[in-house]
């Protein structure tokens, strides 16, 4: 019903509005991959992530070893000793899950570090996009690297090179600007 109302609204009132607007698109993946500081940030994030994953794997191996030891010695242990070992293993498993959540969960160390390193770079790109949009009188700029599915894009409306120029990363030999 809502889509139907919006469609009717644009058909009656919005055709002139829609035609008066200028649209463009950019490819933020392409832009970010051209930025040396983004590559360095990604490398640091990957190193940290790898180190954390290794720690988690080592913790998991230790728990696995504790299980194996319990299985091997089970016939020699009293019921009380079995309960104590099982409780110890369960405690280690809970610690592992808590650590995984602390590192890789929402708002965890990985998320915070990624935000710390990537957000300033993204802000730089958004500022450049804002300048390019204003310079070219664009009402809307889409990101073809995002979740928006763009079935067809006319290269005349691609402002990626303009944003790269604004960031000082443009190709000086590129003469195909609209």
């Amino acid at each position: 019903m809502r889509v139907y109302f919006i469609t009717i609204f644009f058909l009656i009132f919005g055709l002139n509005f829609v035609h008066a607007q200028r649209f463009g698109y950019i490819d933020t993946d392409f832009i970010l991959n051209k930025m040396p500081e983004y590559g360095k940030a990604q490398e640091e994030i990957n190193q940290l992530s790898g180190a954390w994953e290794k720690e988690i794997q080592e913790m998991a191996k230790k728990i696995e070893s504790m299980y194996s030891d319990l299985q091997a010695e089970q016939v020699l242990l009293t019921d009380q000793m079995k309960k104590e070992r099982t409780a110890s293993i369960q405690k280690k498993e809970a610690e592992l899950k808590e650590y995984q959540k602390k590192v890789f969960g929402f708002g965890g160390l990985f998320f915070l570090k990624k935000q710390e390193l990537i957000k300033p770079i993204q802000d730089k790109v958004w500022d450049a996009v804002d300048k390019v949009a204003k310079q070219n009188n664009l009402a809307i700029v889409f990101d073809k690297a995002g979740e928006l599915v763009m079935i067809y894009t006319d290269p005349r409306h691609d402002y990626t090179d303009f944003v790269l120029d604004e960031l000082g990363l443009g190709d000086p030999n590129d003469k195909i600007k609209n």
Side-chain angles (χ1 to χ4, degrees), residues 3-171:
V3 174
Y4 178 72
F5 175 73
I6 292 171
T7 304
I8 298 273
F9 176 81
F10 274 113
L11 286 175
I12 296 172
F13 300 107
L15 288 178
N16 290 334
F17 172 78
V18 171
H19 289 291
Q21 302 304 309
R22 291 195 58 197
F23 302 91
Y25 68 90
I26 61 167
D27 185 343
T28 54
D29 283 345
F30 183 77
I31 293 167
L32 290 171
N33 287 320
K34 286 278 197 175
M35 300 177 76
E37 61 263 40
Y38 181 75
K40 289 176 187 172
Q42 283 296 114
E43 187 176 313
E44 185 175 339
I45 288 167
N46 291 340
Q47 287 175 352
L48 283 170
S49 175
W52 283 322
E53 286 175 12
K54 187 176 179 183
E55 276 185 73
I56 289 169
Q57 288 173 353
E58 287 173 9
M59 292 171 77
K61 282 181 184 177
K62 187 173 182 178
I63 292 169
E64 198 174 298
S65 175
M66 291 171 76
Y67 265 124
S68 295
D69 292 347
L70 176 62
Q71 291 295 321
E73 299 169 3
Q74 192 168 20
V75 292
L76 304 173
L77 301 174
T78 65
D79 285 341
Q80 182 61 31
M81 293 169 83
K82 287 179 193 177
K83 286 180 184 177
E84 288 173 4
R85 291 250 189 119
T86 302
S88 177
I89 293 170
Q90 289 171 343
K91 182 181 177 190
K92 289 287 185 190
E93 286 177 327
E95 289 173 3
L96 173 60
K97 286 180 184 177
E98 186 60 35
Y99 186 70
Q100 284 176 314
K101 183 178 175 184
K102 177 184 170 188
V103 172
F104 292 110
F106 181 73
L109 297 173
F110 179 76
F111 174 82
L112 294 173
K113 191 63 174 179
K114 192 171 183 180
Q115 187 176 23
E116 173 191 330
L117 294 173
I118 301 295
K119 187 171 181 342
I121 298 167
Q122 288 175 329
D123 289 345
K124 194 173 176 182
V125 172
W126 302 154
D127 290 343
V129 170
D130 184 56
K131 286 180 183 176
V132 168
K134 287 176 181 171
Q135 289 168 354
N136 292 282
N137 296 318
L138 300 174
I140 298 173
V141 177
F142 296 101
D143 181 6
K144 82 178 205 180
E147 302 253 344
L148 177 68
V149 176
M150 299 179 81
I151 306 291
Y152 169 77
T153 56
D154 186 337
R156 292 178 298 165
H157 302 292
D158 186 350
Y159 289 85
T160 302
D161 287 335
F162 290 97
V163 174
L164 285 171
D165 288 345
E166 188 63 40
L167 291 167
L169 300 169
D171 182 356

